[in-house]
Amino acid sequence: MNFETEAKKLFDRMGESCYMVLATCDGNYPLRSTMTCLVFDGCVWMQTDKKFAKYTQILNNPKTALVKGATQLEGKTYVCGHPFEEQNRKFCELIKKYHPESYEMYSKVDTEVVLKFVPEKAVDWLYEAGSSDIYNYDFINKTVSIQKYKNGKDK
């Protein structure tokens, strides 16, 4: 099974634009936030304000998770500067295309930053008629495996 092909299918299922729940944690205080996400270049991109606790948590502990439906990703999130900085050009083009209201309301704020989530692991449940295929992706070692789950039944 080719990792690159399967990873592309995973990202295609997520779509170029989607909403996901971002989980951050610093010390014993976990946070979760529904985020407007863009999926490109093998990463998930978001934006937030430096005033929010999730920003500080990411600076202190970049280990994060994202969830969309039955798709769960673990990895690290990095702060990539203000949305209008040159390195964030593609992000701005896509946020303006898919979410013009977010672009107008948030991207122009001085304290806004772009977040880049780099996946390390993912689990994606694909359900079909009484059974599930559980795809396990290892982005570090570039491997993918499929586990059959039949609702606790052996046969």
Side-chain angles (χ1 to χ4, degrees):
M1 180 173 303
N2 180 281
F3 176 81
E4 298 302 327
T5 301
E6 294 302 318
K8 182 182 181 325
K9 289 178 187 177
L10 169 70
F11 291 129
D12 287 348
R13 283 191 297 276
M14 289 169 41
E16 195 170 38
S17 173
C18 62
Y19 295 98
M20 300 183 85
V21 175
L22 170 68
T24 60
C25 190
D26 186 25
N28 289 326
Y29 189 72
L31 285 175
R32 69 262 159 249
S33 307
T34 301
M35 305 291 290
T36 301
C37 298
L38 301 169
V39 180
F40 63 90
D41 296 341
C43 297
V44 180
W45 302 76
M46 305 156 276
Q47 66 182 11
T48 193
D49 196 304
K50 291 179 183 178
K51 297 174 185 173
F52 294 138
K54 67 181 159 249
Y55 170 78
T56 303
Q57 286 193 339
I58 288 167
L59 291 179
N60 291 334
N61 179 9
K63 293 180 181 180
T64 51
L66 285 168
V67 177
K68 178 188 179 203
T71 304
Q72 306 160 42
L73 299 107
E74 298 174 22
K76 292 183 181 164
T77 297
Y78 302 96
V79 177
C80 297
H82 190 272
F84 291 168
E85 290 180 14
E86 181 61 30
Q87 72 266 18
N88 296 320
R89 179 186 299 232
K90 187 170 183 178
F91 173 86
C92 273
E93 290 170 2
L94 292 175
I95 199 79
K96 193 173 186 179
K97 173 183 174 181
Y98 290 108
H99 304 280
E101 68 290 342
S102 291
Y103 175 81
E104 290 297 324
M105 288 176 61
Y106 305 121
S107 296
K108 298 177 180 181
V109 175
D110 290 343
T111 52
E112 199 74 3
V113 291
V114 172
L115 303 174
K116 176 184 179 181
F117 174 86
V118 179
E120 294 179 352
K121 294 180 182 179
V123 176
D124 193 24
W125 287 64
L126 299 178
Y127 299 98
E128 278 188 32
S131 70
S132 303
D133 288 339
I134 306 168
Y135 283 70
N136 293 285
Y137 300 84
D138 181 335
F139 286 85
I140 294 171
N141 295 306
K142 306 287 188 211
T143 61
V144 61
S145 63
I146 302 172
Q147 174 187 351
K148 285 278 189 201
Y149 181 75
K150 296 187 179 189
N151 303 332
K153 300 173 187 170
D154 292 336
K155 298 178 183 182

